[in-house]
Amino acid sequence: MNNQSPQQFQQYPQPPSFQNDEIDLKELFLALWAGKLWIIGLTLLFAAGATVFALSQPNVYESKAVLVVDADPYSVGLDIGPKENEALMAISGKPVKERIQKATDVSLDQLNLLSISGNVTISQQGQDPDFIFNNVQVFTQHINKALVQIELEKAELALLPLKDLIKTTDSIAVKGVLAEKYAQQVYKIALLKSPNTDLIHVIQEPVKATSHIKPKRALIIVLGTLLGGMLGVALVLIRFAFRKEESELETEN
């Protein structure tokens, strides 16, 4: 016979009841249904605002071309290389742009240049597809000539000190080395003066844009609609939470 009192039995916590959860979910659903006008109203309001904003934004187009810089096509020691930074600096340098602008009267300040794996992408964005296409096309058509002229001037300028050194040095060995360098510069100049010299090759010609790249109007409208719906739901739930808290306080009092 067990004579232990009820107090001596260990009290185990009761398993949680799912009744409160079911009531809460039901109350939440009823609260959302009661506030459906707020949710629908804010969703429509934000959708309309997003639509107006999206339609008010101007179309932006992009035109681009892809170039590849030949590091040293004739193995004569040109000062441009296959590395991304060197190729990009060779094309995007201020002297190059200034030469093209002077020859064409076209402003190239808004051109964007990006070097990836040795290829250089020339691009420009704007609201006028004809204007940006013309800028990119002008650059691709004149970049080789401008770069050849710059390299030619550098080579011709390097001849003067070499020639003076050959005259002033007394060492036969040094004079032989300088004479070889001088001959290389002369050969480089002759190649650069050739009309067939190409330091840059266009591997993707610019194409006039037929469709805009931004704004993404459909995406703007969808995101605006979602934001309005989320705000409406949040507002209804906040009101429900405050009302429930007030009701519980009144019940306790």
Side-chain angles (χ1 to χ4, degrees):
M1 183 175 181
N2 191 353
N3 296 324
Q4 291 181 340
S5 61
Q7 290 80 5
Q8 291 177 327
F9 289 102
Q10 184 177 2
Q11 298 295 323
Y12 293 97
Q14 296 295 322
S17 173
F18 294 98
Q19 184 177 2
N20 291 336
D21 293 341
E22 293 175 357
I23 294 175
D24 289 343
L25 290 175
K26 184 177 180 181
E27 288 178 347
L28 287 175
F29 176 77
L30 293 175
L32 291 174
W33 180 254
K36 60 182 179 297
L37 293 180
W38 279 98
I39 298 174
I40 295 173
L42 284 174
T43 301
L44 294 177
L45 178 63
F46 273 72
T51 301
V52 172
F53 174 79
L55 295 177
S56 65
Q57 298 302 301
N59 291 337
V60 177
Y61 301 87
E62 182 181 47
S63 184
K64 63 181 179 180
V66 180
L67 314 176
V68 60
V69 180
D70 201 332
D72 194 357
Y74 306 109
S75 301
V76 292
L78 295 179
D79 295 331
I80 54 179
K83 295 182 180 179
E84 293 186 15
N85 292 338
E86 294 174 350
L88 185 60
M89 290 176 61
I91 295 180
S92 63
K94 187 176 179 181
V96 174
K97 285 187 176 182
E98 288 180 346
R99 284 178 183 272
I100 298 176
Q101 290 179 168
K102 185 177 180 180
T104 61
D105 293 329
V106 174
S107 177
L108 304 174
D109 295 335
Q110 296 182 356
L111 281 179
N112 299 314
L113 291 89
L114 176 65
S115 180
I116 301 177
S117 302
N119 296 339
V120 180
T121 300
I122 316 296
S123 65
Q124 184 172 345
Q125 297 181 2
Q127 299 178 19
D128 187 348
D130 293 324
F131 176 76
I132 61 175
F133 168 73
N134 180 67
N135 283 5
V136 176
Q137 187 178 50
V138 166
F139 187 86
T140 56
Q141 289 176 345
H142 292 81
I143 178 62
N144 185 73
K145 183 178 179 180
L147 192 57
V148 167
Q149 290 177 345
I150 291 175
E151 291 296 325
L152 179 59
E153 292 173 1
K154 290 163 62 175
E156 290 177 338
L157 188 62
L159 279 181
L160 299 177
L162 283 174
K163 191 174 183 179
D164 293 338
L165 286 173
I166 292 173
K167 291 180 178 179
T168 56
T169 185
D170 295 329
S171 172
I172 297 177
V174 174
K175 184 173 293 188
V177 173
L178 294 175
E180 184 179 354
K181 293 290 184 182
Y182 185 86
Q184 289 177 353
Q185 289 297 110
V186 172
Y187 178 61
K188 181 194 299 186
I189 291 172
L191 290 174
L192 290 171
K193 286 183 178 181
S194 171
N196 298 323
T197 299
D198 290 324
L199 302 182
I200 295 177
H201 304 279
V202 181
I203 60 177
Q204 180 180 321
E205 295 285 350
V207 178
K208 186 184 298 184
T210 56
S211 59
H212 62 276
I213 60 171
K214 57 183 180 182
K216 306 292 185 181
R217 293 188 173 89
L219 180 60
I220 293 173
I221 294 173
V222 170
L223 292 178
T225 303
L226 290 176
L227 179 60
M230 293 170 60
L231 185 61
V233 170
L235 180 61
V236 170
L237 292 179
I238 291 173
R239 292 181 62 193
F240 166 73
F242 277 112
R243 288 180 179 179
K244 185 176 181 180
E245 185 177 353
E246 291 176 358
S247 176
E248 291 176 352
L249 291 176
E250 291 177 358
T251 302
E252 292 177 359
N253 295 332

